[in-house]
Amino acid sequence: MTTSENRPAKFSGGTRYVLDDELAKIVNISMALEMPLLLKGEPGTGKTMLAHAIAESLRMPLIILNVKSSMKLIDALYQYDTLTRLNDSRFADSGRDVSNIEDYIKMGKIGQAFVADKKVVLLIDEIDKADTDFQDDMLDILDQMQFDIMEVDRTVRAKNRPVIVITSNAKKDLSDPFLGRCNFHHIAFPDRDMMRKIISVHFPDLNRDLTAACLEMFYRLREVRGVEKKPATRELINWMRALQADPDFQLKQLKSANIPFLGVLFKKSTDLYLASHQ
Amino acid sequence: MFVNFFYTLRDKGIPVTPTSFLRLQKALGMGLIESLDDFYSVTRSLLVKSERYFDIYDQAFSVAFRGMMEQELTDAELTDTIKAMLSEWLKDPGGMAEALGIPEEQLKKMTPEELVEHFLKRLKEQTEAHHGGNHWIGSHGTSPTGHSGYHPGGMRIGGESRNKSAIKVAMERRYRDYSQTGPITASQMGEALKRLKHLQPAGPQDVVNIDKTIYQTMRNAGEIEIVFDRRLADRLKIKLLIDNGGWSMDPYVEIVQALFHYAQFQFKELEIYYFHNTIYSKVWLDPHRYKKPVPVDEFARSDPETRLILVGDASMAPYELNDPRGAIYVGQNEAQPSVNYLKFLAKTFRHSVWLNPVGQDSWFYTWTVKQIAGIFPMFELSLDGLEKAVHYLTSRN
């Protein structure tokens, strides 16, 4: 790191990420206090993108742990590759030392973040998919910054404390001890001004009329009553990309009743029906 | 530092912990918080761990630090306030008269223009901005004229903000929709739906699972262990009765309908009926309560295991509930008072609940709410309330 010890590196946004002031403060304070940052928010509001932006802006490598419902904590830490060892013991042509178990330990994502020589950004994506035990045990490890490898009786300590970003879609409520150890932020849905900035970052040379018309339509469609899954930023960007790619598309189509590519915005068939028959 | 603020948050029901408070002190000590704006965001991220409480936090913050606020109303805010005042005037002339200090009789004769003029004059007389009284015009008072008042009429006009200070941001109450205590909003639809998905019956555990029994028995080295599964239970029948009369229910009718329509596939049968304020001898299948009346007596013939869900604010004049001639429509003559019909329904369907969009705190100020809550188990129409109601409806007793 180029900055001195007591003035930690500050995050101020990435090339493809528009950061609001509030979030910037929270990211910086989390890094300063060395606490994991838990992000919640509607799907498609850029929770995952934030970690990418932090990594890019601070020039740190990014390690992503995609949490799955069936995942065990140990998978995220390390793996003892018994199969390769068995194979080596029979054919012995790999150069690995079969009697040394250490050679067959592979680091998982959290393990990689701990043993990395540089400070890294560790993104733990969609933590809510895993069960409560996983979450609590993981926070213990992230708190202590160390874990044991049982097979070789060795403790792995983090060389550098990674910047940890955790995202949740709030499918389940997270446990209190978990929440207690995190810094929390809820990413609200961007308002029009913010959205205009986001669009201009993604489509730098889009003409202003088109942006305005698209946003107008987008916010109107979000208002359609009874929709279960409202379109979010991600859907808007994909939709605009689709509109751009279509050579036949004309601005006036947006003003007519027949809106092109509605399926990009609405992913559920009932929602799509509601939106097109509003 | 900020110990009082910490306890204010605790008193308001946000689960803040001492550890997180110490962390805030650490952050303050490190010089990471340089302005009130920083303090607002950082404290929230450290202390408040769910967006449900953000709204309460915003309110507490704007009260605690209001002394630092700009106290002049700008033009735009003034326009908003006047708009709000006029709509409030239509809803509650009595309260408005009191707030402006003119007799109600006189107020009734005033045109909107005169009223606005009077209001502006009143505003000029104020030598200083006033927050928290019940008479003058300002913010956070109990007077209905002004910004984010606590007046039960419930108006809220957040002035569009320009140079946003933390307090202004807090005053906007952006997280109102996420607040868990308030009535369900459209943005909570997904969450509400998840809670509704538990509205399914569980059969008794009395079906032998042969495969698992063999497996377990083998694991026990021959010691027989019989594994039971739950018997499949038929899906539930639901009768949903919605009070769709009057503006007080308007915002909730559609949300409740949409909610149950989405969940429809998980029910065996979903019937929606409408009523106004309370139930007499008839309910209606059409929202206009005109074309398709259904006599309440007919419900006696339906399956008693049907889950009956009533949605309404249960607030009305006492005679509407207790007098046979209480129905508010002319020509609707009833043999029995409404309360008898309600008791009949509660007896017919042993699983029934009443969902009330009005917050639990204010239930016991209204006599009829107390009465109805004595007949049907009453729950708030909020995420928490819905969860409890679903639990109640599926429990086996």
Side-chain angles (χ1 to χ4, degrees):
Chain A
M1 272 186 359
T2 49
T3 42
S4 65
E5 274 300 290
N6 48 8
R7 267 286 150 198
K10 279 221 168 147
F11 171 60
S12 55
T15 51
R16 303 269 282 176
Y17 192 87
V18 182
L19 187 74
D20 70 89
D21 285 350
E22 195 174 30
L23 184 52
K25 277 173 210 153
I26 291 167
V27 168
N28 286 323
I29 203 100
S30 309
M31 290 196 302
L33 292 176
E34 303 192 315
M35 281 171 73
L37 174 60
L38 172 65
L39 290 173
K40 260 165 101 177
E42 241 178 87
T45 42
K47 297 186 292 292
T48 310
M49 287 300 290
L50 177 69
H52 288 269
I54 296 175
E56 184 199 22
S57 144
L58 302 180
R59 294 199 183 77
M60 292 180 190
L62 176 68
I63 294 178
I64 304 172
L65 171 66
N66 285 307
V67 178
K68 296 179 186 71
S69 57
S70 57
M71 203 173 224
K72 298 266 181 315
L73 181 61
I74 200 120
D75 301 337
L77 300 177
Y78 70 95
Q79 203 184 5
Y80 170 31
D81 192 353
T82 45
L83 209 61
T84 310
R85 188 162 175 237
L86 181 66
N87 185 63
D88 284 355
S89 69
R90 294 190 57 175
F91 304 109
D93 53 359
S94 68
R96 282 182 286 260
D97 180 4
V98 179
S99 57
N100 184 7
I101 295 174
E102 198 71 57
D103 282 7
Y104 297 93
I105 301 284
K106 282 183 186 152
M107 285 299 164
K109 294 293 179 189
I110 294 180
Q112 284 172 25
F114 281 13
V115 297
D117 292 322
K118 257 182 89 180
K119 204 175 171 79
V120 300
V121 178
L122 174 62
L123 168 66
I124 299 168
D125 215 0
E126 301 186 40
I127 183 76
D128 51 317
K129 279 185 182 169
D131 55 14
T132 323
D133 286 350
F134 178 96
Q135 297 165 8
D136 290 350
D137 295 350
M138 188 186 78
L139 256 282
D140 274 337
I141 284 165
L142 295 182
D143 229 20
Q144 290 156 11
M145 282 291 144
Q146 63 175 44
F147 62 87
D148 298 328
I149 299 179
M150 273 187 305
E151 283 80 358
V152 291
D153 198 14
R154 179 163 72 91
T155 304
V156 177
R157 277 194 191 81
K159 291 184 187 161
N160 299 293
R161 195 175 253 272
V163 176
I164 302 166
V165 178
I166 303 172
T167 73
S168 164
N169 278 330
K171 287 217 176 71
K172 285 181 210 158
D173 277 342
L174 301 170
S175 74
D176 287 344
F178 183 90
L179 291 173
R181 289 177 200 181
C182 294
N183 227 341
F184 175 76
H185 185 63
H186 179 269
I187 301 188
F189 196 79
D191 59 14
R192 275 171 204 243
D193 286 345
M194 192 68 185
M195 194 59 101
R196 200 165 292 129
K197 279 188 214 153
I198 294 171
I199 295 295
S200 64
V201 164
H202 283 265
F203 304 97
D205 41 39
L206 201 63
N207 84 51
R208 197 172 292 164
D209 292 347
L210 183 62
T211 314
C214 286
L215 281 178
E216 187 61 37
M217 186 45 87
F218 175 71
Y219 279 95
R220 220 180 82 204
L221 288 170
R222 268 179 68 85
E223 295 297 310
V224 174
R225 291 226 169 166
V227 167
E228 195 183 340
K229 163 85 183 73
K230 284 184 182 177
T233 317
R234 174 171 42 207
E235 278 78 30
L236 175 66
I237 289 169
N238 287 342
W239 184 54
M240 294 186 70
R241 204 168 277 149
L243 292 180
Q244 266 200 323
D246 181 4
D248 298 334
F249 171 71
Q250 278 162 343
L251 195 53
K252 63 174 182 264
Q253 271 178 277
L254 279 180
K255 296 191 172 87
S256 70
N258 202 359
I259 306 154
F261 307 116
L262 262 187
V264 181
L265 289 173
F266 294 93
K267 309 287 176 62
K268 300 205 173 182
S269 51
T270 47
D271 289 354
L272 186 59
Y273 179 83
L274 276 175
S276 53
H277 291 78
Q278 51 170 320
Chain B
M1 281 201 279
F2 304 109
V3 177
N4 282 341
F5 183 54
F6 176 74
Y7 280 100
T8 311
L9 293 179
R10 244 194 119 80
D11 292 343
K12 295 245 173 198
I14 304 177
V16 284
T17 60
T19 328
S20 56
F21 187 61
L22 289 177
R23 238 176 239 138
L24 173 66
Q25 301 304 328
K26 190 175 162 198
L28 284 164
M30 286 166 82
L32 294 165
I33 299 172
E34 287 158 356
S35 67
L36 191 61
D37 292 10
D38 288 358
F39 183 77
Y40 169 78
S41 334
V42 169
T43 309
R44 196 187 61 201
S45 83
L46 285 171
L47 297 183
V48 187
K49 304 294 181 172
S50 172
E51 70 275 17
R52 286 173 202 168
Y53 304 114
F54 278 15
D55 186 42
I56 309 178
Y57 175 80
D58 277 359
Q59 291 176 52
F61 187 87
S62 59
V63 171
F65 295 93
R66 74 179 162 209
M68 300 177 196
M69 198 186 132
E70 295 260 306
Q71 299 202 333
E72 269 168 46
L73 288 176
T74 59
D75 281 354
E77 274 171 340
L78 203 60
T79 319
D80 281 341
T81 313
I82 288 172
K83 259 192 252 159
M85 190 181 70
L86 289 177
S87 71
E88 187 66 24
W89 177 50
L90 295 173
K91 275 190 274 176
D92 182 13
M96 181 56 84
E98 199 187 310
L100 287 175
I102 38 177
E104 194 176 343
E105 287 309 307
Q106 196 188 330
L107 182 81
K108 277 183 186 156
K109 288 182 205 137
M110 286 167 96
T111 62
E113 287 77 26
E114 282 169 353
L115 187 71
V116 169
E117 207 176 307
H118 182 88
F119 170 76
L120 290 176
K121 214 176 96 202
R122 196 59 183 266
L123 205 59
K124 269 189 206 150
E125 286 169 17
Q126 273 183 257
T127 45
E128 57 186 52
H130 184 92
H131 301 273
N134 62 8
H135 197 69
W136 289 92
I137 297 150
S139 59
H140 285 277
T142 50
S143 151
T145 31
H147 193 53
S148 27
Y150 301 124
H151 191 265
M155 94 188 160
R156 191 200 78 92
I157 301 290
E160 202 180 311
S161 65
R162 284 143 301 270
N163 45 359
K164 293 187 181 182
S165 72
I167 295 166
K168 281 238 171 103
V169 172
M171 296 262 290
E172 278 175 16
R173 299 189 54 195
R174 293 168 295 165
Y175 294 98
R176 222 163 170 254
D177 285 357
Y178 298 105
S179 169
Q180 201 167 27
T181 49
I184 280 182
T185 58
S187 67
Q188 289 173 331
M189 198 76 112
E191 284 291 303
L193 206 56
K194 273 169 221 153
R195 286 169 172 75
L196 209 59
K197 285 203 169 122
H198 296 292
L199 195 54
Q200 50 192 7
Q205 272 197 342
D206 60 357
V207 181
V208 178
N209 183 331
I210 296 181
D211 287 342
K212 274 196 185 148
T213 301
I214 294 172
Y215 178 76
Q216 278 304 333
T217 305
M218 287 303 112
R219 276 187 65 106
N220 292 354
E223 185 80 26
I224 290 174
E225 184 180 331
I226 301 174
V227 180
F228 290 100
D229 276 353
R230 278 195 191 284
R231 194 203 307 169
L232 288 179
D234 207 355
R235 288 171 301 161
L236 293 175
K237 292 179 189 165
I238 304 277
K239 281 193 199 304
L240 184 62
L241 275 66
I242 303 177
D243 172 3
N244 70 340
W247 59 269
S248 61
M249 284 300 297
D250 273 354
Y252 311 110
V253 172
E254 251 180 82
I255 290 172
V256 171
Q257 278 172 350
L259 193 58
F260 278 84
H261 271 300
Y262 276 126
Q264 202 167 21
F265 67 93
Q266 79 183 62
F267 307 130
K268 193 171 182 194
E269 206 176 279
L270 173 67
E271 287 167 1
I272 302 181
Y273 301 91
Y274 301 90
F275 62 94
H276 187 175
N277 280 359
T278 182
I279 294 169
Y280 300 98
S281 62
K282 289 194 277 284
V283 289
W284 284 264
L285 274 168
D286 59 317
H288 307 291
R289 302 188 302 279
Y290 177 67
K291 283 187 197 131
K292 298 179 198 149
V294 180
V296 171
D297 292 340
E298 250 179 42
F299 283 12
R301 270 185 272 151
S302 40
D303 182 358
E305 285 299 299
T306 302
R307 266 56 170 177
L308 184 73
I309 301 169
L310 298 110
V311 185
D313 55 11
S315 311
M316 64 203 91
Y319 67 83
E320 289 183 48
L321 201 57
N322 281 344
D323 193 313
R325 285 159 299 158
I328 54 174
Y329 293 105
V330 182
Q332 188 181 340
N333 286 318
E334 305 291 345
Q336 295 180 57
S338 168
V339 67
N340 285 10
Y341 288 109
L342 293 180
K343 281 183 183 151
F344 162 75
L345 283 176
K347 221 170 76 190
T348 312
F349 303 103
R350 60 195 192 106
H351 300 283
S352 54
V353 290
W354 186 292
L355 296 176
N356 196 334
V358 179
Q360 196 157 7
D361 308 337
S362 39
W363 286 357
F364 294 94
Y365 298 119
T366 314
W367 188 83
T368 51
V369 177
K370 268 190 281 185
Q371 287 293 300
I372 291 177
I375 301 171
F376 294 104
M378 194 176 280
F379 299 94
E380 256 179 67
L381 185 62
S382 63
L383 288 181
D384 277 352
L386 197 62
E387 197 171 318
K388 284 181 205 146
V390 165
H391 184 76
Y392 178 85
L393 286 172
T394 45
S395 62
R396 232 189 314 267
N397 44 46

